[in-house]
Amino acid sequence: RLLEVKKSTAEQRWAVEDLQVRAGAALTDLEQRREREIEDESRAVVSAHAHAKLQEEQHNNQMLVVEARRQARQLSEQQTAAAATRSEESRREAQALAGEEVRMMD
């Protein structure tokens, strides 16, 4: 009877030890999965920040292009207006010279 109790006690101890090993392995596995999840979440956050920064830079570049085009259009309009003014001044000078020549010929 004593041998049976010792055998039963040993089997129970082995069962408890086995359960402890399994629980430890499950806990280790759970901790590793959680660490991977945290790393994945961290990478996702970094990626989201990088994507947001990239979009901000693209937007800023688009605004620079729009501003450059506006300035180019404005410069073109100023040059066109200046050329028209010079052309008008040249026409007036030519008319004035022609008028003087006619008066001198009279």
Side-chain angles (χ1 to χ4, degrees):
R1 173 89 177 129
L2 182 61
L3 286 175
E4 287 178 21
V5 171
K6 285 184 178 183
K7 183 179 175 186
S8 175
T9 304
E11 289 174 353
Q12 289 175 354
R13 191 171 43 243
W14 294 332
V16 168
E17 288 174 0
D18 186 51
L19 287 175
Q20 287 175 338
V21 169
R22 288 183 188 184
L27 182 59
T28 299
D29 183 53
L30 181 63
E31 289 172 347
Q32 288 174 348
R33 278 189 279 146
R34 184 60 190 139
E35 286 176 13
R36 284 192 301 270
E37 288 174 0
I38 290 170
E39 289 171 1
D40 290 347
E41 290 171 1
S42 178
R43 278 192 291 275
V45 167
V46 169
S47 178
H49 285 306
H51 183 70
K53 183 70 174 169
L54 178 62
Q55 285 184 324
E56 180 183 356
E57 288 176 11
Q58 287 174 339
H59 176 73
N60 289 343
N61 288 342
Q62 289 172 346
M63 293 287 87
L64 289 173
V65 168
V66 167
E67 179 61 18
R69 287 179 179 163
R70 185 193 66 75
Q71 288 179 356
R73 187 173 44 254
Q74 184 180 18
L75 180 60
S76 175
E77 290 169 358
Q78 290 172 347
Q79 289 173 340
T80 300
T85 300
R86 286 192 303 272
S87 177
E88 180 63 23
E89 290 172 355
S90 295
R91 187 186 63 77
R92 286 182 190 160
E93 288 175 6
Q95 283 180 338
L97 287 175
E100 285 181 27
E101 286 180 8
V102 169
R103 275 185 245 131
M104 288 163 103
M105 289 170 61
D106 284 343

